Amino acid sequence: MYAYSRAALREAVRRVREASVPGADVYYSLKANPHPGVVNALAPLVDGFDVCSLSELETALNTGVPPEKVLFTGPAKTRPEAAAALAAGVAVTVESPGQARLFADVARELGVEGRAVVRVNTPYPGRTSGAATPNQFGVAGEDLTEVFGVLRPSALSVSGLQLFWGSQYSAADVILAARSAALERARTLADRFGLKLDFVSVGGGIAMPWCTADPEVDWEGLRAAGPATTPAAEQGAPTVVCEYGRSIVGPAGILLTTVLDTKNVDGRRYVLVDAGLNHVMIASRLIAGAGRGEPLVRAVDAKDPGTMSPAQVTGPLCSQLDLLAENVQLPALETGDTLMFLGVGAYGPTFSPAGFLSRDKAREIIF
Ligand SMILES: Cc1ncc(COP(=O)(O)O)c(C=O)c1O
């Protein structure tokens, strides 16, 4: 069972707000955790939502948030998604000339006006320093003229630019540089194409540490640098939006799992639990492990918490990948005991291959 804390969500939103461009709107990206309890708890705390599917759109709008505060993102939207988003009155990101034509066609067929946010392809910076990596998202620099050419005569107004530059960054200097570069590029593009923008989304990118070797986020560096590195907003300047998923919900969630069995094989101690990579892929060897340490796992109410020894925590699946923590220190455990994975509130059930072996889904509650 996943359990998400309302108090921790409140605290996380406060923290990312302080670490954002001063005065920026904070949007929550439902892809990190679309549980309606979580999204409803966040609705009064954040300024808007970023959604990526019809289901996420429904969850966001069901909170009562105005459509103007919802952004439908994603590199390749379907015609039904385009129609639903435009009919609902939410802004849509446009990420290629082909997608610009799709939205222009759908707006004409529906007879609605719509708001387009042009996502501009932005390389992702190295995590601490070093070379940026290419990605498939957004409109390539050489296609921008064509995209604005399609949108200008259409029923869609260009209300914003989105320059998202990646995820899971901890170093303040990298985050601040990416953000400033995004703001600067948005200004240059607005001048070049004569755009009157309502908002500019400059990414979020802040990490959630959930493994022992994940670096801590430099919250203090971000908070302290914010006002100094951001010019005061001019009258009529576009609203700056920062989009966050994992840094808001990651720290607010734990996964509770029951010990089903224990055994020793070849001198290694195994603790077999009822959560598998089908519930928590981020703890499995597909993501955790080499280089980033082990997930943060603790025993709940251990009978003898003083005697710790190394253990492998494995799930119930017939796969070697279903190793959730390797050589972690745990007390003596027996069938029926409970383990707790910490900081796993983001990219949990919906990021895991829930269909594998057709086992039951994890429960999710908010408290
Ligand atoms: C456009 C966009 N916004 C927001 C996010 C959320 O990112 P994170 O969970 O790293 O904060 C993502 C992640 O893929 C994204 O692509």
Side-chain angles (χ1 to χ4, degrees):
M1 182 179 78
Y2 280 89
Y4 311 116
S5 154
R6 285 193 179 84
L9 288 174
R10 265 197 303 279
E11 171 57 17
V13 173
R14 188 195 62 73
R15 199 160 62 159
V16 296
R17 222 181 253 291
E18 282 187 3
S20 296
V21 175
D25 275 1
V26 167
Y27 275 37
Y28 171 63
S29 298
L30 271 70
K31 60 173 73 70
N33 186 331
H35 189 270
V38 168
V39 181
N40 276 300
L42 286 171
L45 304 175
V46 297
D47 303 299
F49 291 122
D50 154 35
V51 300
C52 274
S53 64
L54 293 180
S55 176
E56 287 188 4
L57 176 64
E58 210 172 288
T59 304
L61 291 175
N62 282 347
T63 66
V65 67
E68 305 84 67
K69 294 292 188 181
V70 177
L71 178 59
F72 199 124
T73 65
K77 292 164 198 87
T78 63
R79 186 167 274 267
E81 286 171 342
L86 291 176
V90 306
V92 293
T93 63
V94 170
E95 308 212 7
S96 70
Q99 290 269 299
R101 281 189 284 275
L102 171 74
F103 278 108
D105 287 352
V106 172
R108 194 184 55 249
E109 285 162 19
L110 292 178
V112 296
E113 293 181 354
R115 283 171 309 121
V117 170
V118 174
R119 179 165 177 179
V120 182
N121 179 261
T122 307
Y124 290 3
R127 244 158 253 295
T128 46
S129 60
T133 50
N135 63 76
Q136 71 272 41
F137 307 111
V139 180
E142 63 268 28
D143 288 339
L144 283 167
T145 304
E146 184 179 351
V147 164
F148 289 120
V150 172
L151 294 176
R152 217 164 257 129
S154 79
L156 294 154
S157 59
V158 177
S159 67
L161 293 177
Q162 186 191 47
L163 297 100
F164 190 81
W165 44 263
S167 291
Q168 195 64 15
Y169 291 88
S170 308
D173 55 346
V174 176
I175 296 169
L176 293 166
R179 223 183 242 168
S180 304
L183 273 175
E184 190 47 45
R185 184 132 182 249
R187 261 184 235 114
T188 308
L189 291 173
D191 285 349
R192 180 169 148 213
F193 291 100
L195 308 172
K196 280 222 59 75
L197 301 172
D198 297 329
F199 82 85
V200 174
S201 172
V202 295
I206 300 180
M208 65 161 188
W210 84 96
C211 290
T212 46
D214 282 338
E216 285 299 321
V217 173
D218 182 3
W219 292 106
E220 187 46 36
L222 290 173
R223 201 184 58 75
T229 53
T230 316
E234 296 150 24
Q235 194 74 11
T239 303
V240 174
V241 172
C242 292
E243 294 170 37
Y244 301 104
R246 68 190 67 200
S247 54
I248 290 179
V249 280
I254 59 169
L255 173 68
L256 295 164
T257 183
T258 302
V259 175
L260 298 178
D261 201 3
T262 59
K263 60 185 169 189
N264 288 302
V265 181
D266 285 339
R268 277 157 74 87
R269 175 186 173 210
Y270 287 89
V271 176
L272 295 94
V273 295
D274 66 350
L277 78 89
N278 53 324
H279 304 117
V280 62
M281 187 172 76
I282 59 168
S284 78
R285 298 306 98 175
L286 289 169
I287 297 190
R292 69 181 319 149
E294 295 302 317
L296 302 166
V297 58
R298 307 276 181 271
V300 179
D301 286 340
K303 290 178 192 69
D304 183 7
T307 50
M308 305 286 260
S309 66
Q312 335 308 318
V313 181
T314 59
L317 307 183
C318 320
S319 165
Q320 275 191 303
L321 294 171
D322 203 23
L323 170 59
L324 305 181
E326 191 166 18
N327 274 326
V328 289
Q329 292 291 330
L330 286 172
L333 292 164
E334 57 191 51
T335 300
D337 283 347
T338 303
L339 294 185
M340 171 167 69
F341 285 84
L342 304 172
V344 291
Y347 303 104
T350 59
F351 191 67
S352 305
F356 186 45
L357 294 195
S358 308
R359 296 180 73 89
D360 288 343
K361 291 186 174 152
R363 304 253 155 212
E364 294 177 271
I365 57 141
I366 180 155
F367 65 98

